[in-house]
Amino acid sequence: GAVVSQHPSRVICKSGTSVKIECRSLDFQATTMFWYRQFPKQSLMLMATSNEGSKATYEQGVEKDKFLINHASLTLSTLTVTSAHPEDSSFYICSAPAGGPDTGELFFGEGSRLTVL
Amino acid sequence: DAKTTQPPSMDCAEGRAANLPCNHSTISGNEYVYWYRQIHSQGPQYIIHGLKNNETNEMASLIITEDRKSSTLILPHATLRDTAVYYCIVSRKGSARQLTFGSGTQLTVLP
């Protein structure tokens, strides 16, 4: 099956620093990728839609200047949490529709757990 | 997209069938039923989806009632590795962005 890989799986950083999370589609091209955030004991919340070659689309309430998304190629999207604070500590998960944008079958990465001290 | 209702938790004995229900009484004609699961501290995994016919794949079976207001995900022979949160989602095909994850059902497979 389609594989989506995230890196790093875990990251601990100091408050005020920036953290970059990579999401790669390993065996297929993804013009669209989705970034989710999941707090402990809660469900996944869509943060933004990453579009190859154009600006990302952010969900309401998500600060685009804080969560920078770059979709530089058909296999790579990055999420940069800028000036991270403890409240940004969360499980960040990316996904991509392996069958193209006209599908609800998403393949998810392993997730990246961010802890901001 | 239509909302779904799932029981918060269920237990199942290892080796037995796990039947996970989902109510989606406000589903529209062009909306599909998707099932995903999330094992603890991992990304979700796609399981199966359907429109109105029953579907089966190597992981599970999906039974959708004739009025499409509810569905059941069946894991025919549950194993300990099937312990996870199972999400039932209703969405128009072609709108992956609109997949909204609810609280799901925590399935615990007991030895």
Side-chain angles (χ1 to χ4, degrees):
Chain A
V3 177
V4 174
S5 179
Q6 277 183 248
H7 177 81
S9 59
R10 292 179 181 271
V11 57
I12 300 173
C13 70
K14 293 182 179 180
S15 185
T17 60
S18 295
V19 174
K20 179 186 286 187
I21 301 170
E22 294 186 346
C23 178
R24 294 181 185 274
S25 55
L26 297 186
D27 52 358
F28 66 101
Q29 295 182 334
T31 57
T32 300
M33 290 185 176
F34 302 97
W35 286 95
Y36 295 81
R37 179 168 54 183
Q38 186 175 34
F39 292 108
K41 298 189 184 300
Q42 294 186 23
S43 191
L44 284 77
M45 293 296 294
L46 179 65
M47 297 176 64
T49 302
S50 174
N51 304 297
E52 189 270 336
S54 64
K55 292 183 178 180
T57 304
Y58 290 82
E59 297 302 301
Q60 191 171 11
V62 177
E63 301 175 57
K64 61 181 181 181
D65 294 330
K66 181 169 183 62
F67 299 98
L68 302 180
I69 291 174
N70 185 289
H71 197 142
S73 76
L74 289 172
T75 60
L76 174 64
S77 175
T78 60
L79 168 68
T80 301
V81 183
T82 62
S83 185
H85 288 94
E87 58 266 30
D88 298 322
S89 297
S90 189
F91 193 49
Y92 293 86
I93 312 168
C94 71
S95 72
D102 295 332
T103 178
E105 299 164 51
L106 292 178
F107 293 92
F108 287 82
E110 311 93 324
S112 300
R113 188 165 301 282
L114 170 63
T115 302
V116 184
L117 302 176
Chain B
D1 292 333
K3 293 187 183 299
T4 62
T5 303
Q6 298 178 256
S9 64
M10 292 181 64
D11 291 342
C12 174
E14 187 178 18
R16 305 296 292 271
N19 298 292
L20 294 100
C22 180
N23 286 323
H24 30 79
S25 58
T26 59
I27 191 170
S28 300
N30 62 348
E31 290 182 316
Y32 288 71
V33 180
Y34 292 89
W35 282 84
Y36 286 80
R37 72 179 183 184
Q38 185 178 24
I39 296 170
H40 184 62
S41 294
Q42 296 183 22
Q45 177 188 23
Y46 165 80
I47 302 174
I48 198 168
H49 77 280
L51 181 62
K52 54 184 177 181
N53 296 322
N54 297 337
E55 302 288 344
T56 295
N57 62 21
E58 64 278 4
M59 289 184 68
S61 294
L62 173 61
I63 308 298
I64 303 174
T65 57
E66 193 168 343
D67 62 8
R68 304 210 320 125
K69 293 185 176 182
S70 65
S71 61
T72 301
L73 179 75
I74 301 173
L75 307 179
H77 305 287
T79 70
L80 298 179
R81 287 181 293 182
D82 291 323
T83 293
V85 178
Y86 287 77
Y87 297 100
C88 169
I89 304 168
V90 173
S91 183
R92 291 179 292 113
K93 199 171 191 181
S95 62
R97 178 172 175 269
Q98 302 301 327
L99 285 179
T100 301
F101 286 79
S103 51
T105 296
Q106 170 66 60
L107 174 68
T108 301
V109 180
L110 304 171

